[in-house]
Amino acid sequence: MKERTIREELKECRELLADLFQGGLALAPQSMPERINKKAGTFRQYGMDRLAQMLTELAGMLTMRRHEIESKEEEALCDLFCRIECYLEEGIDLASLDEAGRAIRDI
C-alpha cells in the first residue's frame, strides 16, 4: 500500500515537472515554485530527503530567475531538472517493483 502511494506521488511530481518543461523553464509561472516546494515537503515526510532537497533547490532557482534581468544559471538549472527527472523515473520503477514483490509475498 505504501509503495503505491509513493509511486503515485512520484508520478504526480513527474507530471508537475512536465508542465514546467512544456511551459518553459525560463517562463515558469509564479505558482510553480510554491507547488514544487509543496511536493518537496511531501517527499520529506516520506523520508526522501535527497529528492526533497533537489526540489527545494529547483524551486529556489526558479524563484531567483523571476528577479533576474538576464538568466545566468541555464546549465545548472537544466542539470538539476534532469537529475530530478532521472531520480523520479528510478523511484517510480523501484516503487513498482516493491509493490509487485509485496503482492507476490501476500499470495
Side-chain angles (χ1 to χ4, degrees):
M1 181 75 161
K2 179 176 125 180
E3 295 87 359
R4 179 178 293 157
T5 303
I6 290 173
R7 187 183 72 227
E8 293 306 314
E9 288 290 344
L10 291 167
K11 284 182 175 181
E12 286 177 19
C13 188
R14 185 179 60 187
E15 290 171 13
L16 179 63
L17 292 184
D19 291 345
L20 173 62
F21 187 75
Q22 290 173 353
L25 293 173
L27 302 171
Q30 189 171 356
S31 64
M32 187 60 73
E34 295 167 7
R35 292 171 60 197
I36 292 171
N37 277 325
K38 185 176 179 183
K39 276 294 177 198
T42 300
F43 290 121
R44 197 168 281 112
Q45 289 177 346
Y46 285 123
M48 301 174 80
D49 294 326
R50 179 66 184 133
L51 178 57
Q53 177 186 5
M54 288 191 296
L55 289 171
T56 300
E57 186 179 346
L58 178 63
M61 291 174 101
L62 292 172
T63 299
M64 292 302 296
R65 289 178 70 100
R66 297 188 65 76
H67 303 289
E68 293 177 346
I69 295 173
E70 181 180 329
S71 298
K72 301 172 188 168
E73 300 291 325
E74 298 291 334
E75 188 174 327
L77 179 64
C78 290
D79 179 61
L80 179 59
F81 184 89
C82 290
R83 284 188 290 135
I84 293 170
E85 185 65 30
C86 289
Y87 190 103
L88 292 171
E89 288 300 318
E90 289 292 322
I92 291 166
D93 290 345
L94 289 173
S96 295
L97 289 173
D98 288 346
E99 186 178 6
R102 180 178 298 273
I104 290 171
R105 286 190 301 270
D106 291 346
I107 293 178

